Amino acid sequence: MIEVRDLVFSYRKDKQTLHGLTFSVRDGEIFGFLGPNGSGKSTTQKILTGILKGHGGTVSLFGKDMQSTHTQEFFQKIGVLFEFPYLYANLSALDNLNYFASFYPKEQRRDAEELLDELDFKKDFLKKPVSSYSKGMRQRISMARALISNPKLLFLDEPTSGLDPAGAVLFRKIIEKERKKGTTIFLTTHNMLDADLLCDRVAFISGGNIAALDTPGNLKEKNSNHSIVIDYLYQGERSEKTIAAQELKSGIPFVYDELISVHSQEPTLEDMFIQYTGRGLV
Amino acid sequence: MRKVFWGLLKKDFKLMLSSKFFLLALGSLVLYSCYINFVYVKLDQKIYPVYLYDPQNTQADSEYVTRVDSREALEAACADQYSVGIDISEDRPELYLLSSGLKTADHYRMIWGGAVLNGDMDGQAAVIGINDKEMKNRREITAEFLFFELSAVGFLGLASMLFKEKQMGVIRVHGILPVRRPLFIFSKLFLLLGSDLLFTALLTGINLGFSHTLEVLPSVLLQAGILSLIMSLAGFLCAIRLPDFKQFSLFYLILAVFVTTPVFLAGQTGAAWEWIAYHPMYHLFVAMKSAYFSDPTAGAPYYMICSGAIILLFLLACRTLNREMAKEG
């Protein structure tokens, strides 16, 4: 779906933002693009969505090179959720969605009301102006706008930002549903939980370079010290022991009266990011 | 493409409605028309008073002349820089007047003084064109109000509408929609042009009357269209380039003070500046005024320069729009 080879880009002649990124995104995959502010993830996404031109290297989407002029057909196939909910504040949710949907062929469009219902949007607000909505409601309409054209490729920038925990869970379910439909998803986020739960593969980008690219599971496993912490009671006293995972093959290798908890010491995705890039996800 | 353009037009129309653009235009129309019909057409310049110092009583009395007893009294009477003095105490009559600062006005005062001295006051005014005083006033002020409305208010109208879209961030969304980007500009231009032309037709119709309007409307609409396109595109560019409305307001002030004021001064008063010939807005102003007097003075170079300016501004607007779409949130 997406093929990127040696992608370079500079906003100014003396300052290069992207230093030769190479990656590919397969059809129907959720690909996480993770990095701190200023790492080049937004720039990469803008190049992929055809907003930014003048890059070096090769970038192709749907088998076509991005250097060639983007046809209306290209924009009909993509959906983009921006980091901020960009909407007409004087129009209602329905008017916004109907306006944006009007640029796509009729047979491609989804029903705005059904979509908002799926996104758990409060029905009382359907016809009220966006200026009266909360941040979470605006994020729901933005997601609906990205999905209304039934895109084959979906770019999501911080999809769960501004949502309460229930909203975040709902959004993850919707993203999963899109994947099941065969939509390819390019997810840009700071949120490690979203990336861990949703992504088939993730790329860590730092300083315009890809520091690591693999499945979240592999990344964590490769860097795990394979140890387990066991919390237990013995002769009325509570103790904790760290053992190698291999030692568990023949059962708990020490005496105890009662096991309280067993924790694997697998690193988190955030630990991995810091390890690969030397920077936190600010 | 027609459907896409229609969608953009509908959205822009709603934005214009919500920004009270049409209400503002209607308010301007009412205000200008009331001023023209109830105030301006009744205005007339006070005749230049003439003071005569004639110790030998050589001149007959006239309704236009006030006699004074001394040279000092004559000079005191003319101290207002408006009156004209005639001293015929010597063999050779002398016209005495203090300059008003305006060459043209001083020239008229001298002509009037000479005419009074020679008793040639009646039947000397040449009839220029087909307008009586009221119609001349109506055409003149309507042209000026229209120029002001299109160059200042129209510019502000589009910019304020665009600032709203910029603040809402929706311009960026259009970068990923299956919409040709120039259409985003075209739809706004189309609406603004339509609204400005309607305003022009109504303002002209109300203040010139039906038959006079029919006579000048095609050429007035042409000039209004040129001015509307130039100012709308300039407003579009400024609204996208400048980061906030405060800076835009400052720029607008500079535009009003340094760009349009000299044009009004040169057109309305006797101020004679040679450099005004290089001021682009002055030529637009003159072309508008000429159109109202059915005296098209603008030639092919004027229309070529205007077309070039519109194309250049449009290309710059497209480029600026592309940059805005690629900006960070």
Side-chain angles (χ1 to χ4, degrees):
Chain A
M1 180 62 79
I2 302 175
E3 283 290 332
V4 176
R5 292 272 168 273
D6 306 318
L7 174 63
V8 287
F9 184 82
S10 307
Y11 285 102
R12 293 198 320 245
K13 274 183 186 171
D14 57 331
K15 198 182 171 198
Q16 200 171 8
T17 309
L18 301 178
H19 305 272
L21 303 186
T22 298
F23 63 92
S24 62
V25 181
R26 295 187 279 264
D27 284 2
E29 180 181 25
I30 300 182
F31 186 84
F33 208 58
L34 318 179
N37 291 335
S39 56
K41 38 179 215 303
S42 293
T43 304
T44 309
Q45 183 166 317
K46 280 178 193 166
I47 292 169
L48 296 180
T49 50
I51 294 174
L52 213 53
K53 288 174 183 161
H55 60 268
T58 56
V59 177
S60 69
L61 273 85
F62 305 105
K64 283 186 184 167
D65 193 89
M66 287 294 287
Q67 289 286 24
S68 58
T69 313
H70 308 310
T71 58
Q72 302 309 298
E73 197 192 338
F74 167 78
F75 290 111
Q76 279 172 7
K77 286 188 212 164
I78 66 165
V80 181
L81 172 75
F82 291 90
E83 188 180 356
F84 301 103
Y86 298 139
L87 298 160
Y88 282 98
N90 57 320
L91 303 182
S92 68
L94 274 181
D95 285 343
N96 263 286
L97 290 180
N98 289 332
Y99 166 67
F100 290 116
S102 70
F103 300 113
Y104 299 92
K106 232 175 198 173
E107 59 280 7
Q108 194 185 321
R109 291 181 221 162
R110 289 172 71 173
D111 183 81
E113 280 193 60
E114 265 177 35
L115 200 50
L116 285 173
D117 192 43
E118 206 178 307
L119 283 157
D120 219 5
F121 187 83
K122 290 175 191 164
K123 278 189 178 155
D124 310 348
F125 282 82
L126 273 178
K127 288 178 182 167
K128 286 185 182 169
V130 166
S131 53
S132 63
Y133 296 174
S134 68
K135 201 178 171 190
M137 286 163 84
R138 289 176 193 219
Q139 187 71 352
R140 281 169 164 83
I141 311 168
S142 292
M143 185 61 145
R145 187 184 51 69
L147 297 172
I148 200 145
S149 61
N150 252 326
K152 289 190 168 69
L153 175 57
L154 192 55
F155 291 91
L156 303 176
D157 196 350
E158 302 293 354
T160 56
S161 150
L163 295 172
D164 56 25
V169 169
L170 176 74
F171 265 45
R172 281 187 213 115
K173 275 185 190 163
I174 285 170
I175 294 167
E176 280 290 355
K177 202 172 159 189
E178 281 300 308
R179 186 230 305 261
K180 277 178 194 157
K181 268 169 55 186
T183 312
T184 306
I185 297 164
F186 189 87
L187 175 70
T188 309
T189 186
H190 284 139
N191 190 320
M192 289 294 117
L193 184 66
D194 282 349
D196 208 355
L197 293 174
L198 291 168
C199 296
D200 297 310
R201 287 186 303 147
V202 293
F204 292 148
I205 179 166
S206 176
N209 292 297
I210 288 183
L213 196 164
D214 209 333
T215 64
N218 281 349
L219 281 170
K220 288 187 278 189
E221 198 187 313
K222 269 185 220 166
N223 296 282
S224 169
N225 59 9
H226 304 288
S227 60
I228 287 163
V229 175
I230 300 170
D231 202 8
Y232 64 97
L233 277 175
Y234 181 61
Q235 292 179 341
E237 260 185 49
R238 187 172 176 158
S239 303
E240 187 182 280
K241 257 190 186 170
T242 303
I243 60 165
Q246 289 294 323
E247 290 180 65
L248 274 181
K249 268 187 178 171
S250 49
I252 306 288
F254 53 83
V255 285
Y256 62 93
D257 294 332
E258 192 186 330
L259 282 181
I260 297 169
S261 61
V262 178
H263 299 281
S264 73
Q265 292 298 286
E266 194 180 52
T268 63
L269 211 53
E270 188 161 355
D271 293 334
M272 288 302 90
F273 183 84
I274 295 167
Q275 186 179 316
Y276 278 106
T277 66
R279 295 168 69 182
L281 278 162
V282 187
Chain B
M1 195 166 91
R2 211 180 304 161
K3 232 171 125 191
V4 168
F5 189 62
W6 178 241
L8 287 166
L9 269 184
K10 272 202 300 190
K11 177 266 300 174
D12 283 332
F13 185 73
K14 279 182 189 170
L15 266 181
M16 281 170 94
L17 274 182
S18 73
S19 68
K20 315 272 189 299
F21 181 88
F22 295 116
L23 205 65
L24 193 76
L26 186 69
S28 302
L29 185 70
V30 172
L31 196 72
Y32 296 153
S33 300
C34 285
Y35 179 76
I36 292 170
N37 286 287
F38 300 123
V39 181
Y40 195 81
V41 291
K42 290 175 186 161
L43 290 182
D44 197 6
Q45 189 184 358
K46 206 180 100 193
I47 202 161
Y48 296 121
V50 177
Y51 294 94
L52 177 69
Y53 175 46
D54 178 15
Q56 279 91 39
N57 255 340
T58 56
Q59 295 288 312
D61 282 344
S62 156
E63 58 176 309
Y64 299 110
V65 168
T66 308
R67 287 181 178 275
V68 290
D69 300 331
S70 62
R71 172 73 188 197
E72 288 74 30
L74 182 85
E75 288 179 11
C78 294
D80 59 0
Q81 299 175 330
Y82 190 76
S83 305
V84 182
I86 304 170
D87 180 354
I88 45 176
S89 56
E90 307 285 327
D91 290 344
R92 196 180 157 82
E94 185 191 336
L95 275 179
Y96 175 85
L97 52 131
L98 287 180
S99 174
S100 63
L102 302 171
K103 255 188 189 172
T104 326
D106 291 345
H107 180 63
Y108 293 149
R109 287 163 72 200
M110 275 165 58
I111 292 174
W112 175 241
V116 169
L117 182 65
N118 298 322
D120 293 339
M121 289 85 71
D122 299 323
Q124 291 301 304
V127 176
I128 302 167
I130 50 164
N131 299 300
D132 57 17
K133 186 173 71 66
E134 185 182 325
M135 185 46 68
K136 180 233 161 215
N137 278 356
R138 283 180 180 275
R139 287 179 196 258
E140 196 174 70
I141 193 70
T142 308
E144 280 156 18
F145 276 150
L146 182 64
F147 181 81
F148 173 74
E149 176 72 18
L150 298 185
S151 58
V153 181
F155 175 82
L156 196 65
L158 183 124
S160 66
M161 184 170 90
L162 203 67
F163 257 109
K164 273 192 178 174
E165 282 192 291
K166 197 174 154 182
Q167 277 163 1
M168 292 186 281
V170 285
I171 292 178
R172 279 161 217 168
V173 180
H174 289 82
I176 53 98
L177 291 177
V179 177
R180 287 181 205 285
R181 290 176 190 179
L183 287 183
F184 183 81
I185 306 173
F186 271 134
S187 77
K188 286 178 175 34
L189 285 185
F190 187 83
L191 274 180
L192 254 292
L193 183 66
S195 135
D196 283 346
L197 293 183
L198 182 66
F199 182 89
T200 303
L202 288 174
L203 187 74
T204 311
I206 291 169
N207 297 298
L208 260 60
F210 185 71
S211 58
H212 291 291
T213 298
L214 280 185
E215 180 194 303
V216 297
L217 198 59
S219 49
V220 167
L221 285 179
L222 176 67
Q223 298 309 323
I226 291 172
L227 187 59
S228 170
L229 285 174
I230 290 177
M231 294 316 293
S232 302
L233 282 166
F236 188 97
L237 262 174
C238 295
I240 293 197
R241 287 291 292 175
L242 297 171
D244 55 47
F245 202 72
K246 269 186 194 169
Q247 284 199 24
F248 178 81
S249 308
L250 191 70
F251 182 81
Y252 178 72
L253 205 69
I254 293 168
L255 183 96
V257 173
F258 293 106
V259 179
T260 53
T261 310
V263 173
F264 275 105
L265 287 177
Q268 270 302 85
T269 67
W273 298 314
E274 280 180 18
W275 58 264
I276 203 78
Y278 302 104
H279 197 309
M281 294 298 281
Y282 179 72
H283 295 281
L284 292 166
F285 179 71
V286 169
M288 177 70 81
K289 239 178 165 173
S290 303
Y292 268 97
F293 282 91
S294 306
D295 176 30
T297 48
Y302 167 81
Y303 289 107
M304 280 168 69
I305 292 170
C306 286
S307 309
I310 291 168
I311 293 168
L312 183 71
L313 283 169
F314 181 76
L315 293 175
L316 280 173
C318 285
R319 197 183 144 101
T320 316
L321 180 70
N322 283 341
R323 279 192 186 169
E324 176 62 26
M325 283 174 174
K327 265 189 187 170
E328 288 293 326

